[in-house]
Amino acid sequence: VLRAFRRVLQGEHEIVTALDGSEALRIVLGGTRVDAIICDIGMPKLDGPAFFSELFELRPQLMPRVVFCTGGPPNEKTQRFLERLQAPLLFKPVAAVDLQRAIELVRSR
């Protein structure tokens, strides 16, 4: 999925990838400037909702920049979380146009 997202976005955006939520949080907290964060709901070590909670505590100004993605229907707890946030949600496989549209949406916030 990371390679597919990179292929779609390279050339128009500078891409930084992380294999799990903990690594993504280290990147963001390390000072890397981000215009959008594509966050998988089901990441290892630190899942999407936990990543978002940490982000809320440490970099709340980045919360509107998060786009979630998932490979299947979210469970009830995750669905309530997403509804409360009103964050964009993409379902894998993600169409290139949908990915680009979601990034533009959060960049304009």
Side-chain angles (χ1 to χ4, degrees):
V1 172
L2 291 175
R3 285 191 302 267
F5 284 4
R6 181 177 292 281
R7 276 193 310 273
V8 168
L9 300 172
Q10 68 188 15
E12 292 182 47
H13 305 278
E14 182 177 336
I15 315 311
V16 177
T17 59
L19 296 176
D20 61 60
S22 297
E23 183 182 0
L25 199 55
R26 280 193 302 278
I27 290 168
V28 172
L29 297 179
T32 299
R33 184 181 176 280
V34 295
D35 292 327
I37 299 170
I38 310 300
C39 181
D40 199 317
I41 294 289
M43 293 183 292
K45 295 184 184 176
L46 190 67
D47 67 7
F51 168 83
F52 192 84
S53 293
E54 292 288 327
L55 190 67
F56 174 75
E57 292 294 321
L58 301 167
R59 295 287 190 279
Q61 69 275 18
L62 293 178
M63 291 172 43
R65 302 288 175 106
V66 177
V67 174
F68 288 101
C69 67
T70 186
N75 63 36
E76 187 177 323
K77 179 182 174 185
T78 302
Q79 186 63 42
R80 284 193 311 271
F81 167 79
L82 293 169
E83 288 170 358
R84 190 175 68 247
L85 296 178
Q86 297 181 350
L89 176 63
L90 301 171
F91 290 93
K92 296 182 253 178
V94 178
V97 67
D98 293 334
L99 179 59
Q100 292 165 330
R101 191 175 300 136
I103 289 173
E104 290 308 314
L105 174 69
V106 297
R107 287 182 71 198
S108 67
R109 292 180 172 178

